[in-house]
Amino acid sequence: MGDHGDGHSEQGAVAKAGQSVAEKFQDPGIPPHRPRLADKDPRAAKRAERQVAILFGISVLGTLLFFWAYFGVRLDQTVATLRLQNLLLGLGTGFAMLGIGTGIVHWAKALMPDHEVSEERHEIRSEADRVAAVKIVDEILDETGIKRRPLIRNTLIGAVALAPLPAIAMFRDLGPLPANALSHTMWKEGTRLVHDPTGTPIKASDVTIGSAFHVIPDGLNEMTEGKLEAKAKAVVLLMRLNPELLHPSAGREDWSHDGIVAYSKICTHVGCPVALYEQQTHHLLCPCHQSTFDLTQECKVIFGPANRPLPQLPIKIDSEGYLVAQSDFHEPVGPSFWERS
Amino acid sequence: MSAVTETTYTPETSVGRITNFVDERVGGSGILREFGRKVFPDHWSFMFGEVALYSFVILLLSGTFLTFFFDPSMAETHYNGSFVPLKGVEMSVAYNSSLNISFDIRGGLFMRQVHHWAALLFVASVSVHMLRVFFTGAFRKPREMNWVVGGVLVILSMAAGFTGYSLPDDLLSGNGLRIIDGVIKSIPIIGTYISFFLFGGEFPGTHIIGRLFTLHILLIPAVILLMIAIHLFMVVVHKHTQYPGPGRNDHNVVGYPLGPVYAAKAGGFFFIVFGVVAFMAAAFTINPIWNYGPYDPSPVSAGTQPDWYIGWVDGALRLMPGWLFGFPLEWHIPFPWGVNTLTLNVLLPALVPAGIVFTVLFTYPWLERWITRDNREHHVLDRPRNAPTRTAIGMAGFVFYCVLWAAASSDLIATHFFVSLNDVTYWLRGLFFLGPILAFIATKRIALALQRKDREIALHGRETGRIVRLPHGEFIEVHAQLDDYKRYKLVGFESPEPMPGIPNSKGIVTKSEKRRAALSRFFFEDRVAPATPAELEAGHGHAEHEAIDPANHDAKSISH
Ligand code: HEM
Ligand code: FES
């Protein structure tokens, strides 16, 4: 290990582009050590010693605070006591840790020697090592005879290339194949539109102009299996507009009932629920990436990253005046995927 | 070779006897001799790597505690814990157990908060550490491979964070998964299959939390641990870099010995990081899952944010329009077997920005090595200003990232500053292209200006703020000359010049060599050479100013 000020001796060995050594400033070497207060004054050293001890003492108090908070605070099912306990446990732990940490660092900075020292770097790979290693590898390869026996080499390569394939194939049963699962939902002819999450059916007369309902298909709540998967495709938004504002395209004229329209709530971008309805503008807004759909243009995208309109659910009323679906959606809902045509 | 060593050493104390027993069997003395006084350079910016390491340790500790109580099952259950508003609500066992950790295990909420804050700090410190390494040129030979290991760690840290964020199965984390599912489905040909395999069927299914749990607590931490081991091993092999300054060069390492000072500072710092994380967990609520409710595909609230490190990907999804000047970005391609859908409006933002960032990140050391044709080892860091083009490239990348990151909060920016959301998006789309260019130009100018200022100070000293009046009435400011040590810090750097194309062995300057020469010009044509002793001499000899001796200090002189 060197001592300070030996920077001189190592100067200039590297070829520096652009400037010759003579044009450069000489490295003056490591600056002389400046004594700290505690190095010069025993009283200052004593003071630092006491400060370190106090910091360690604070850590002890922090640990005690933790125990007091853990056993002393009674949780009474309110968030307030929970927060209080969390605060005290955290303060206890924080002081316990910071006391130790700052104590040690202060000790190191104020009292331990702070002389900078210099050490030589060593070659990462010496040329002698390289030569020796190459020789060893050659000998090893020679002893295996792999170069002289290509048959062994080639069959080994083939075997090693094939052997991992079963490990990949084994993941096949992670899940079923998609088949056409993404193309249909729970909705079918006559399925009632019911409130999400209560499940009460909706009469056309309940839907006033300007209102928007969150809707699920009747029977969803009663499902015991696959409920969330069904819900993730079937949720619908129901709104009523002045019928003159709707501009149904050919074939869709009878998909609404007296200005009441139902659209898939699953964003065609990457699938968030399109939850925000702006009454005045008749826009639906997806909170995730702000795709905006215009109800008066069959939910065409007017802003944002989505590309396709929200699929419309054709609806009608049944004999009791409740809103029901005419059929399933006519296209897959939600984000696009390769097989979607 | 077969000599049996007979030690005559007999320790006196019992501690000594135990130590000696172990030492004779593992050879600890040799290790201690090698490392006990090893020199480590010190600088505040070397702290970020340490923060990353320590927050990972905190994650291991707090995460292990959580595993004792967390149940990654997606079976349906009805809540019956202490949090009254959710009593009787149907939810997954995973969410239920996260609520129980929060409300019914004493200190459980604290551990969740420690874990989450440590996770945010972990990703942040890994990222800032990487920026430090980039801007100081620490990735140069011999450390290129360790830079790649670091890049892998950045990706792994984000993966660890995202898989953890999804575990509690609350409304927000479920929505995050839904977005991931949508992105996966946009992958051509295999996307739908990946989605079905990952979720074990249709989204959300009943498998995903369990699978993410295995990734989160086993696979990803194990790989991170392995990478950290490789990373630190290489740090020991290479020894740490050091900032330029008097006495430091590429052949030595100047700093404090490991024992005691460096070890004490670094060890103490672990407790400081832990303490700070504990204070954050105490005072600032993070991820109050009981406010969000269980995952349900129907509700969502506006203004919610993913964890910060996911923001840039989410922001990219937001910035990409679904239609570009009337052209749809979703293509329906007619193949002989039928129509397939290519969802560029999702695929491009999910892949391209991250692809650019990580491609540049992983190849940059080789790119710069090729351009500079520099095959020397570098152990002395560059001050960022002394590598203006590299620093400018780094800032361009940083601004690129920040624009995407800001875009993830476009709705909050709009509501906070009362501007239209659409305008915020349009501006950010513009900045996506312009921001990096402006950042490049501005950074390069600033770096060159700082270099010029350094030159000025090295040659003429610092302004003291003291004005004196010369006998003939002129007012001038007294400049204090630097001492040799301070001056060397400002002048002891290399300023490479553009390197023209070099003919190969056949005497031809190849196409790729011409390209390299052009890039070399781009890198180094704007340069400020470090001040030289001759210039300093000339400056002292300026005739138009009389040298007065304002104080007793010999190192002070007057200059323009
Ligand atoms: C490697 C870095 C890691 C990161 C970045 C990370 C990140 C996260 C995050 C952000 C959460 C959500 C916390 C919440 O708000 O509830 C989480 C949850 C969790 N993590 Fe980690 N984690 C890491 C390592 C680990 C390790 C090593 C373990 C266990 C050995 C672990 C066990 C858990 C458990 C059990 C949960 C769920 C607990 C709950 O939500 O209540 N984590 N993690
Ligand atoms: S999911 Fe609706 S805009 Fe992205």
Side-chain angles (χ1 to χ4, degrees), chain A residues 168-240:
Chain A
I168 297 171
M170 280 195 38
F171 285 96
R172 166 62 192 86
D173 281 345
L174 274 176
L177 293 184
N180 66 345
L182 297 179
S183 311
H184 58 80
T185 73
M186 257 184 89
W187 295 103
K188 49 182 192 289
E189 189 190 350
T191 310
R192 273 189 181 163
L193 282 72
V194 299
H195 280 285
D196 175 23
T198 58
T200 46
I202 305 165
K203 274 211 157 98
S205 50
D206 299 341
V207 190
T208 51
I209 286 200
S211 62
F213 291 170
H214 299 269
V215 165
I216 50 176
D218 193 18
L220 182 90
N221 279 345
E222 289 69 43
M223 289 176 79
T224 48
E225 231 162 71
K227 185 161 145 188
L228 282 184
E229 293 76 66
K231 190 170 185 181
K233 288 190 298 187
V235 280
V236 154
L237 280 171
L238 187 74
M239 289 127 313
R240 185 172 207 154

Side-chain angles (χ1 to χ4, degrees), chain B residues 143-398:
Chain B
R143 297 182 179 76
E144 300 97 326
M145 281 160 63
N146 222 9
W147 165 259
V148 171
V149 172
V152 172
L153 275 166
V154 170
I155 297 177
L156 285 170
S157 70
M158 291 191 285
F162 187 79
T163 50
Y165 182 78
S166 306
L167 292 183
D169 202 18
D170 59 288
L171 186 62
L172 286 193
S173 72
N175 238 314
L177 281 175
R178 173 130 231 195
I179 294 175
I180 293 290
D181 180 52
V183 170
I184 289 176
K185 281 185 175 141
S186 76
I187 301 171
I189 305 172
I190 51 172
T192 319
Y193 291 86
I194 298 182
S195 160
F196 271 67
F197 285 179
L198 184 65
F199 289 89
E202 281 190 79
F203 175 88
T206 51
H207 297 284
I208 186 69
I209 301 291
R211 288 173 183 176
L212 292 177
F213 186 64
T214 306
L215 293 178
H216 182 73
I217 70 154
L218 183 78
L219 200 61
I220 297 175
V223 180
I224 290 182
L225 210 56
L226 177 71
M227 288 293 147
I228 290 180
I230 297 174
H231 201 66
L232 295 184
F233 172 76
M234 286 210 244
V235 170
V236 172
V237 169
H238 298 145
K239 297 204 170 112
H240 209 290
T241 51
Q242 54 195 349
Y243 275 88
R248 290 131 211 261
N249 58 49
D250 278 325
H251 298 275
N252 68 5
V253 42
V254 177
Y256 299 112
L258 179 65
V261 201
Y262 190 83
K265 278 191 193 168
F269 192 52
F270 167 73
F271 294 94
I272 293 181
V273 172
F274 203 151
V276 170
V277 170
F279 278 151
M280 294 205 288
F284 304 105
T285 307
I286 179 113
N287 210 13
I289 50 168
W290 55 92
N291 285 342
Y292 307 149
Y295 179 62
D296 178 332
S298 183
V300 72
S301 45
T304 52
Q305 298 281 290
D307 270 355
W308 76 266
Y309 45 82
I310 299 296
W312 67 301
V313 185
D314 197 53
L317 286 175
R318 289 184 187 213
L319 281 192
M320 185 76 184
W323 291 76
L324 203 58
F325 309 117
F327 281 103
L329 284 167
E330 177 172 316
W331 296 351
H332 303 270
I333 311 169
F335 285 107
W337 56 85
V339 175
N340 283 125
T341 299
L342 189 60
T343 321
L344 292 176
N345 55 322
V346 180
L347 198 61
L348 291 185
L351 291 185
V352 172
I356 295 175
V357 167
F358 286 111
T359 308
V360 173
L361 193 142
F362 283 120
T363 54
Y364 189 82
W366 284 271
L367 204 71
E368 201 182 292
R369 202 175 119 90
W370 173 62
I371 295 170
T372 54
R373 279 177 160 250
D374 184 351
N375 198 28
R376 293 167 302 158
E377 285 188 11
H378 292 276
H379 301 290
V380 175
L381 297 171
D382 284 328
R383 297 169 78 212
R385 70 185 59 173
N386 289 337
T389 307
R390 178 203 298 144
T391 304
I393 292 174
M395 281 310 289
F398 181 66

Side-chain angles (χ1 to χ4, degrees), chain A residues 265-274 285-293 303-306 310, chain B residues 175 178-179 314 317-318 346:
Chain A
K265 192 178 169 183
I266 307 302
C267 189
T268 55
H269 180 223
V270 283
C272 284
V274 181
L285 183 75
C286 179
C288 282
H289 314 105
Q290 286 83 41
S291 287
T292 312
F293 303 89
F303 182 77
L310 295 170
Chain B
N175 238 314
R178 173 130 231 195
I179 294 175
D314 197 53
L317 286 175
R318 289 184 187 213
V346 180

Side-chain angles (χ1 to χ4, degrees), chain A residues 1 7 10-11 13-16 18-19 23-32 70-71 75 77 79 82-83 85-87 89-91 93-95 97-98 100-102 104-105 108-109 112-122 124 172 174-178 181-182 196 227-229 231-233 235 265-266 269-273 275-276 287-290 303-308 335-341, chain B residues 37 39 82-84 90 102-103 106-107 109-110 113 142-143 175 178-179 182 185 188-189 192-193 196-197 200-205 211 238-240 246-256 260-261 264-265 268 271-272 275 278-279 281-282 285 296-298 300 314 317-318 320 322-323 328-330 340-341 343 345-346 376 379 410-411 421-422 425-426 484-485 487-488 491 493-494 497 530-533 536:
Chain A
M1 196 160 312
E10 292 148 1
Q11 162 70 22
V14 198
K16 311 247 170 174
Q19 280 178 312
E23 281 176 343
K24 294 200 65 142
F25 280 93
Q26 278 287 313
D27 181 353
I30 300 177
Y70 191 88
F71 292 109
L75 292 180
Q77 306 218 335
V79 175
L82 180 72
R83 281 197 200 287
Q85 188 180 51
N86 183 68
L87 178 68
L89 290 175
L91 289 179
T93 313
F95 281 120
M97 293 295 153
L98 276 180
I100 297 177
T102 49
I104 294 179
V105 171
K109 286 203 154 174
M112 294 182 194
D114 70 336
H115 292 246
E116 277 196 313
V117 287
S118 165
E119 206 177 57
E120 288 281 308
R121 285 181 192 271
H122 304 293
I124 293 171
R172 166 62 192 86
L174 274 176
L177 293 184
L182 297 179
D196 175 23
K227 185 161 145 188
L228 282 184
E229 293 76 66
K231 190 170 185 181
K233 288 190 298 187
V235 280
K265 192 178 169 183
I266 307 302
H269 180 223
V270 283
C272 284
L276 308 176
C288 282
H289 314 105
Q290 286 83 41
F303 182 77
N307 175 275
R308 282 182 296 104
S336 300
F337 49 97
W338 178 250
E339 294 82 358
R340 191 181 194 283
S341 51
Chain B
R37 287 277 192 178
V39 172
S82 300
F83 185 57
V84 180
E90 196 174 294
S102 308
F103 289 96
R106 275 177 288 180
L109 175 63
F110 178 58
Q113 308 222 97
R143 297 182 179 76
N175 238 314
R178 173 130 231 195
I179 294 175
K185 281 185 175 141
I189 305 172
T192 319
Y193 291 86
F196 271 67
F197 285 179
E202 281 190 79
F203 175 88
R211 288 173 183 176
H238 298 145
K239 297 204 170 112
H240 209 290
R248 290 131 211 261
N249 58 49
D250 278 325
H251 298 275
N252 68 5
V253 42
V254 177
Y256 299 112
V261 201
K265 278 191 193 168
F271 294 94
I272 293 181
F279 278 151
T285 307
D296 178 332
S298 183
V300 72
D314 197 53
L317 286 175
R318 289 184 187 213
M320 185 76 184
W323 291 76
L329 284 167
E330 177 172 316
N340 283 125
T341 299
T343 321
N345 55 322
V346 180
R376 293 167 302 158
H379 301 290
S410 55
D411 49 341
L421 179 71
N422 300 19
T425 308
Y426 295 137
D484 286 351
Y485 302 106
R487 185 183 304 112
Y488 189 71
V491 299
F493 68 95
E494 284 177 41
E497 289 171 55
T532 62
L536 187 66

